[in-house]
Amino acid sequence: MNDSLAIDARAITKTYGAGALAFTALKGVDFVVNRGEFVMLVGPSGSGKTTLLSILGCVLTPSSGSLSLFGRDVIAAGERRLPDLRLANIGFIFQGHNLVASLSAIENIELLLELRGRSRKQSRIEAMELLSAVGLADKFDRRPSDLSGGQRQRVAIARALAASPPLILADEPTASLDASSGLAITELLRRLATERGHTVVVVTHDNRIYHLADRIVRIEDGLIQGGETTDQTRTQRAQP
Amino acid sequence: MSAGPITTRASLLTRLRVMSAIAVRMMLHDRLKSIGTLVGVVFATLLANQQAGTFMGLLEKNTMLVANTRADVWIVPRTLPTLQQAAPMSISVLHRAQVTPGVAWAEPLAFGGASLKVPGGGTEQLTVVGTRLPRGAGGPWNIVRGSINDLREPGALFFENAERVKYGGMNLRSQRELNGRTVHAVGFTWGLIPFGPAYAFAEYDTARDLLGLDRDQTNFVLVGAQPGQSPEQLRDALRARLPDAQVLTSREFESKIRRYLLTQTAIGVSFGTSTLFGLLVGFVIVALTMFSSVIDNLREFGTLKAIGATNWDLAIILLVQSVLFALSGTLLGLALVSRIAEGIRSANLALILPPWLYLGTFAVMTLMCISASSLALIRVRRVEPGMVFR
């Protein structure tokens, strides 16, 4: 086990169903992400990328294999410890934003901050800072239904960053957005992640945002096909 | 702030507050469903209390004579099952009671059905109660017209004010034929209609004559205790003297009448079934609307689970919602049933809603809502956090 790794997944398999109806979505995947890395997981529909993301997010248990997050063995932790593990380590950004409809933008973020042990007062301050960071300070009291798709996704990003969990997992964050909004959202996520030192895994098939990744990992038919480092990374690394 | 594993956790109290706030917001957000759930609780409260209140009213109507006499102890025939089935017993019981230590006074009470001839044809049944003056321990009470002293006149009676029209437009001094004898009205009472014919009060001897009771017979004996003597002590002393009669404190006699109504008639089963039916309908409405609300918000529950909320956290949401629905629905339902009780209050029927029934309703409705939410809870427990990625 390597403590410098954010994600260390080895020989991960996932089979749904049993017998003749069994379907293997992941067929022995090795997936490793360094701390602070911004990785995009790409591949066609049904390739297994969302299944892998669900396993990395500790919301789905693999059929076999090992998984460590920041040096901690997730499989050995057991089902009952998973909610705590998610709360401590992972911020989620979902395809459909998944904000609580009855709560305002700021309350959606405060909810997570308070669950993560912040006081009520501190939560309000930090939530406001996060909303400012995503450019929505003036819309703090709006419900999700009163915000545009892009604005909702910004709130979702702010919620994912609440209390600075080390790992951010994003599932198709640009899927419901137009091209310019999708790019702007991913740029925002990239910038905030870099500033704060988050490790990010983004599942996407939107090739217009590929250049923002440090590394792109392709998955097809339940198997990792290979990874590549993007120009963006090379440019950034070349900077003093 | 730089990223790193979060080591702090919300305390139990914080989680309770945060989840309660979400519960309230969800209720307010999903107004139509919340109104549906509320209607279920209001309906159950209304129906259950209307039935229970009517039942309490009927019990009260049947025990009001015993409750309103000024007697500490009643002496009744040995085999008497309930007040309305009064039978004659020897007057010697009265004499033996009068000389029992601890007895301040003892008086006979005549009680029985009589038939009143209505001018223009037809008859009306009533229950004659004969009480000894000047004490008038057996009534009348709730007097709306007339003086109890006027009962000394031969053939004088107090009738029920609400039955005056039925008695042929009866007024003060109106004459009627009762069990073949001419009587006249000297006063009126209000609301003294038991689960049967209305009470009419007469002086003991007048009543005995009307009911055809022999001089050496009486229906009941009412006994008052000397100061310092408890009803129970007096009862025990009288029991020792009167082995051939039943001796009961007023409270015991009331309980005996209630028990008879509950066990020997269909009233208890009938009202109990209606009350349960009301609760059952309310339970089904609440269970279905809460379940449906969970189904509608399944993705939100899944999201909450994915971001770190536990099953307990989600249970708090449902529990808080159940309790809030129960409290607000019960409050509304009780306000409504109180207004209805005011509206339908008459001499014949009064919904009795004692304070314990109000408190009991809150408890029953809270239990009902919590159990109704268990269906939703089971569904919430089964929500997989992984659904948020599908």
Side-chain angles (χ1 to χ4, degrees), chain A residues 117-133:
Chain A
R118 299 289 198 273
S119 69
R120 208 171 175 179
K121 194 176 167 188
Q122 188 60 29
S123 294
R124 174 67 38 153
I125 294 166
E126 284 187 37
M128 206 62 202
E129 284 170 2
L130 283 162
L131 277 177
S132 299

Side-chain angles (χ1 to χ4, degrees), chain A residues 9-229:
Chain A
R10 305 284 173 181
I12 297 283
T13 67
K14 180 65 188 178
T15 301
Y16 295 104
L21 295 171
F23 167 72
T24 303
L26 296 176
K27 301 167 180 170
V29 168
D30 290 334
F31 185 71
V32 175
V33 179
N34 293 311
R35 287 178 190 246
E37 219 180 352
F38 195 103
V39 176
M40 284 188 189
L41 193 57
V42 304
S45 294
S47 58
K49 54 187 190 298
T50 297
T51 300
L52 180 57
L53 194 75
S54 301
I55 290 170
L56 300 179
C58 307
V59 293
L60 191 66
T61 313
S63 303
S64 66
S66 68
L67 171 65
S68 292
L69 294 180
F70 304 96
R72 180 160 182 193
D73 188 343
V74 171
I75 312 292
E79 287 267 345
R80 291 187 64 186
R81 300 287 304 155
L82 294 184
D84 263 358
L85 228 144
R86 293 195 290 269
L87 199 58
N89 294 293
I90 307 168
F92 291 99
I93 301 166
F94 307 103
Q95 189 175 333
H97 68 78
N98 286 22
L99 298 171
V100 179
S102 52
L103 301 182
S104 66
I106 197 163
E107 286 165 343
N108 264 285
I109 303 163
E110 283 176 324
L111 158 69
L112 216 13
L113 285 162
E114 291 199 54
L115 283 179
R116 285 173 168 159
R118 299 289 198 273
S119 69
R120 208 171 175 179
K121 194 176 167 188
Q122 188 60 29
S123 294
R124 174 67 38 153
I125 294 166
E126 284 187 37
M128 206 62 202
E129 284 170 2
L130 283 162
L131 277 177
S132 299
V134 298
L136 286 176
D138 58 331
K139 300 211 167 15
F140 73 98
D141 58 346
R142 301 286 174 87
R143 297 260 175 91
S145 56
D146 299 327
L147 299 171
S148 69
Q151 287 170 336
R152 283 177 215 165
Q153 207 57 296
R154 282 167 188 266
V155 177
I157 289 173
R159 182 179 65 178
L161 299 178
S164 279
L167 179 62
I168 306 292
L169 299 178
D171 181 32
E172 306 271 14
T174 62
S176 56
L177 304 176
D178 59 61
S180 62
S181 300
L183 183 61
I185 286 290
T186 318
E187 281 174 344
L188 175 70
L189 178 61
R190 169 81 223 205
R191 179 171 59 78
L192 293 173
T194 307
E195 281 171 13
R196 293 160 174 255
H198 296 281
T199 304
V200 181
V201 177
V202 179
V203 161
T204 185
H205 54 245
D206 184 354
N207 55 16
R208 293 165 302 190
I209 61 169
Y210 284 180
H211 65 282
L212 293 168
D214 291 331
R215 187 157 57 95
I216 292 168
V217 176
R218 291 187 188 280
I219 185 167
E220 262 179 53
D221 198 23
L223 288 166
I224 299 285
Q225 300 298 318
E228 58 193 64
T229 308

Side-chain angles (χ1 to χ4, degrees), chain B residues 127-369:
Chain B
T127 305
V128 173
V129 180
T131 182
R132 184 69 88 196
L133 294 178
R135 193 181 313 278
W141 68 99
N142 277 13
I143 295 169
V144 290
R145 284 186 81 182
S147 162
I148 192 168
N149 288 324
D150 293 339
L151 286 178
R152 292 179 193 279
E153 295 172 20
L157 274 99
F158 267 63
F159 291 91
E160 170 57 39
N161 197 53
E163 304 283 76
R164 282 166 60 186
V165 175
K166 273 168 80 177
Y167 297 160
M170 184 182 272
N171 282 306
L172 281 179
R173 297 290 152 189
S174 290
Q175 288 199 342
R176 296 288 183 273
E177 192 182 310
L178 184 64
N179 273 5
R181 287 174 169 74
T182 301
V183 296
H184 63 278
V186 292
F188 293 100
T189 57
W190 188 89
L192 306 191
I193 307 171
F195 196 47
Y199 288 133
F201 295 87
E203 204 284 326
Y204 179 74
D205 288 327
T206 307
R208 194 175 50 73
D209 187 37
L210 285 166
L211 297 171
L213 206 59
D214 290 343
R215 278 192 174 280
D216 60 351
Q217 288 182 322
T218 187
N219 293 117
F220 301 106
V221 173
L222 307 182
V223 186
Q226 281 177 354
Q229 187 89 357
S230 74
E232 288 74 22
Q233 287 171 324
L234 185 62
R235 173 201 62 198
D236 294 343
L238 286 163
R239 273 182 184 168
R241 287 263 175 135
L242 304 164
D244 50 340
Q246 266 191 88
V247 184
L248 304 161
T249 64
S250 291
R251 197 167 281 184
E252 285 170 345
F253 196 22
E254 281 182 57
S255 301
K256 185 180 170 75
I257 296 166
R258 279 196 208 102
R259 206 163 42 245
Y260 176 84
L261 286 168
L262 283 168
T263 58
Q264 302 299 313
T265 70
I267 299 173
V269 176
S270 166
F271 279 95
T273 308
S274 310
T275 307
L276 277 178
F277 182 72
L279 290 176
L280 191 70
V281 171
F283 177 88
V284 171
I285 295 175
V286 174
L288 288 181
T289 48
M290 283 193 81
F291 184 74
S292 154
S293 180
V294 163
I295 296 294
D296 285 353
N297 295 309
L298 218 52
R299 205 162 180 83
E300 285 195 1
F301 283 110
T303 304
L304 289 172
K305 268 194 176 182
I307 63 179
T310 60
N311 278 329
W312 279 112
D313 291 328
L314 304 189
I316 290 171
I317 293 179
L318 294 179
L319 197 70
V320 167
Q321 287 184 343
S322 309
V323 172
L324 288 177
F325 279 129
L327 294 182
S328 49
T330 306
L331 213 60
L332 264 172
L334 286 177
L336 271 173
V337 85
S338 301
R339 292 298 297 269
I340 290 171
E342 287 282 310
I344 65 169
R345 185 177 147 79
S346 71
N348 288 294
L349 177 71
L351 256 69
I352 294 185
L353 303 165
W356 65 260
L357 190 63
Y358 282 84
L359 291 173
T361 305
F362 276 109
V364 169
M365 290 301 148
T366 306
L367 271 176
M368 184 193 83
C369 286

